[in-house]
Amino acid sequence: MCLCDFKRHYLVNAFIYSGKWNFPNPRKLSIPTQNELSLVMEYADSNRNITGDNWFSSVELVDELLKVGLTYIGTVRKNKLEIPENIIPTKKDGEGTKTFFLPRIKP
């Protein structure tokens, strides 16, 4: 797993992911969320944006990142249970149609 600086194309943080997380997880966070948080915590409260692929993307991750002053943008698998039905693409939407979803941020 790697965290890279977008502007400088530089590796900032990384670790080898062996398919299992061996650290305490009292809050029962998912493995992708734990992985992402372990990479980015040194940037907490920096108001930076984290970009990730659909393995990491989840409402849980976005909520955790917002708590530490980070934002997130990424692709989402359409079969995730947390995705509202009204934004899941259908055949009638047409090929190449994109849907953008901005969740409400809790005050």
Side-chain angles (χ1 to χ4, degrees):
M1 300 287 166
C2 299
L3 177 66
C4 300
D5 183 290
F6 175 74
K7 288 183 181 177
R8 295 175 188 89
H9 308 284
Y10 188 78
L11 178 66
V12 177
N13 194 359
F15 67 91
I16 296 173
Y17 175 65
S18 63
K20 188 173 181 182
W21 192 257
N22 294 322
F23 297 99
N25 186 12
R27 294 175 42 213
K28 304 294 184 219
L29 297 173
S30 68
I31 289 175
T33 297
Q34 292 177 69
N35 287 339
E36 187 79 22
L37 292 175
S38 70
L39 289 170
V40 303
M41 286 309 289
E42 70 181 82
Y43 297 98
D45 297 318
S46 66
N47 295 319
R48 292 184 184 196
N49 183 67
I50 306 300
T51 303
D53 71 6
N54 61 28
W55 190 75
F56 295 103
S57 298
S58 69
V59 172
E60 174 189 59
L61 174 61
V62 172
D63 287 343
E64 293 299 317
L65 290 173
L66 285 173
K67 288 177 188 176
V68 297
L70 297 168
T71 57
Y72 183 85
I73 188 169
T75 57
V76 181
R77 295 179 185 172
K78 67 180 181 180
N79 64 346
K80 286 212 173 191
L81 297 176
E82 57 199 10
I83 305 302
E85 270 188 44
N86 62 329
I87 67 165
I88 296 175
T90 62
K91 289 185 179 186
K92 71 177 183 172
D93 292 333
E95 189 175 323
T97 302
K98 305 290 183 211
T99 302
F100 296 90
F101 178 67
L102 298 172
R104 280 185 277 153
I105 297 174
K106 298 174 187 175

